[in-house]
Amino acid sequence: MFKAPRGTADTLPGEQPYWRYIEDRALEICRLYGYSRISTPAFEEAGLFQRSVGEGTDIVSKEMYIFKDRSDNEMALRPEGTAPVCRAYLEHGMDNLAQPVKLFYFADIFRYERPQAGRYRQHHQFGCEAIGDQSPVLDAEVIHMALSFFSALGLTDISLQVNSIGCKECRPRHLQKLIEHYAPLKEQLCADCRVRLEKNPLRLLDCKKTACQSVADLAPRSADYLCQECGQHFGSLQGYLTALGIKFVLNHRLVRGLDYYTKTVFEIQPADGGSQSALGGGGRYDDLIAMIGGKPVPGIGFAAGLERIVLNLKTQGVNVPPAERPAIFIACIGVDARIEAYRLSAALRAEGIPLVMSSGERSLKAQLRHANAAGVKYAAIIGGDEMEAGTVMLRNMQTGEQQETRPEELVAMLKAGE
Ligand code: AMP
């Protein structure tokens, strides 16, 4: 027996109302904030991610699904959504449009991680990118948009964490201080952190291991080493958030795992969640487009994990609208009646009425059992008598009452939602 690959999941019909609910809220938020939808391929040249997300990051060095295609090109399944959108922005000359260009996407994301609750090898993200404007107003707007999305979902028990990791001017100074702080304590660190100390010191700060956390808590803070421009940007952002009444926590250990981030980074957590449970996160990436071959264009974005949202909708007890049920079941008795049942089904569907049509292969009793299982309020039964009279027998599945009805009356009744 084949099974879905480890770390992937089938989303069965019973789960779909949650996904539909999330997608509807996302579409509504994007309409309000003026974002247009973009879809990019599920795989890209691996170099796109190596150059932007960074060779030293976990995502590229350990988690990327990388493969040679049959023409020997090195490709990667999309391990994140921002670099592909920026690639499309450049490829399609969107820098010639009015800036910022605001784009959103739903994308499946592939990372070879150790599967656990809320952590998959293929997961789904809703993401937004505002490209071409460096103002901190936009940072505040993107954060506001993310919070509005969670609030529209009914997920109110959440917290916002914010940090600034500076830019390529000021970050080296902070990194130097970090290395000076960590180097004498190297022996206390986990094996991963010893590698991070060499390859990606910023990531030392968000290690989840207890021993490393106490070292991280006392580590030099990026916000204390910002250059004048980054400092002003961070100050303005906090001013806008405060003016909008948005509560936030400054978290100096929030660095996020991708090299392309500059200045603002943020994450949204469920109030009771640990550090592994972020619902969404984002940040500014003013160097990304230059990293992938364009002129420097600033940008800021946000992405939320849909599986994590479903999990939280369930734990926070949010009711989502159920899937639409068929309005009626069409049953028939005998071979000739099948054609009539098919005609009636076609006529009702043409009127926009959802229904289940029985193939008529089974007894009427079995067909009505099927109708019950389908959860319909009515069944229309067509047999020899009804065919002769040009009517159907309309059965109320709750009461068992039956009544001969003309097809046009049936249409009118179902369209009225009775
Ligand atoms: P990231 O691109 O790592 O910032 O992830 C954005 C959001 O996607 C996170 O806040 C999570 O909600 C979700 N996410 C990230 N990785 C996974 C994963 N492996 N499985 C499920 N959801 C994930």
Side-chain angles (χ1 to χ4, degrees), residues 47-54 80 83 258-260 288 291-292:
L48 174 67
F49 303 109
Q50 289 157 344
R51 296 252 293 270
S52 57
V53 176
E80 65 96 44
L258 299 87
D259 280 359
Y260 57 61
L288 197 168
M291 284 166 149
I292 61 172

Side-chain angles (χ1 to χ4, degrees), residues 77-92:
L77 295 184
R78 166 176 52 203
E80 65 96 44
T82 303
V85 170
C86 289
R87 194 263 311 135
Y89 171 93
L90 272 180
E91 184 173 341
H92 301 285

Side-chain angles (χ1 to χ4, degrees), residues 370-393:
H370 182 178
N372 255 330
V376 291
K377 195 164 160 196
Y378 297 108
I381 305 163
I382 304 177
D385 292 350
E386 288 77 20
M387 279 175 62
E388 228 163 79
T391 57
V392 303
M393 186 60 75

Side-chain angles (χ1 to χ4, degrees), residues 76-138:
L77 295 184
R78 166 176 52 203
E80 65 96 44
T82 303
V85 170
C86 289
R87 194 263 311 135
Y89 171 93
L90 272 180
E91 184 173 341
H92 301 285
M94 290 190 231
D95 47 343
N96 294 317
L97 305 175
Q99 306 292 301
V101 174
K102 294 180 167 179
L103 301 167
F104 78 93
Y105 58 85
F106 293 102
D108 27 14
I109 303 290
F110 304 87
R111 294 180 190 169
Y112 193 79
E113 298 197 81
R114 199 162 57 78
Q116 50 189 290
R119 187 167 297 281
Y120 297 89
R121 289 185 174 168
Q122 180 183 8
H123 73 275
H124 298 80
Q125 291 188 0
F126 158 56
C128 308
E129 313 293 348
I131 307 175
D133 189 320
Q134 60 185 6
S135 167
V137 175
L138 210 60

Side-chain angles (χ1 to χ4, degrees), residues 57 60 95 119 146 160 162 166 193 212 214 220 231 239 277 327 341-342 375 402:
T57 60
V60 168
D95 47 343
R119 187 167 297 281
L160 166 68
V162 185
C193 277
C212 303
S214 47
S277 59
Y342 208 145
Q402 299 201 155

Side-chain angles (χ1 to χ4, degrees), residues 315-351:
T315 53
Q316 295 194 26
V318 176
N319 286 321
V320 305
E324 193 188 3
R325 294 228 179 114
I328 189 163
F329 184 94
I330 313 292
C332 55
I333 310 163
V335 176
D336 293 344
R338 276 188 207 159
I339 297 172
E340 212 40 59
Y342 208 145
R343 270 204 201 105
L344 176 67
S345 299
L348 293 178
R349 284 174 174 146
E351 294 287 345

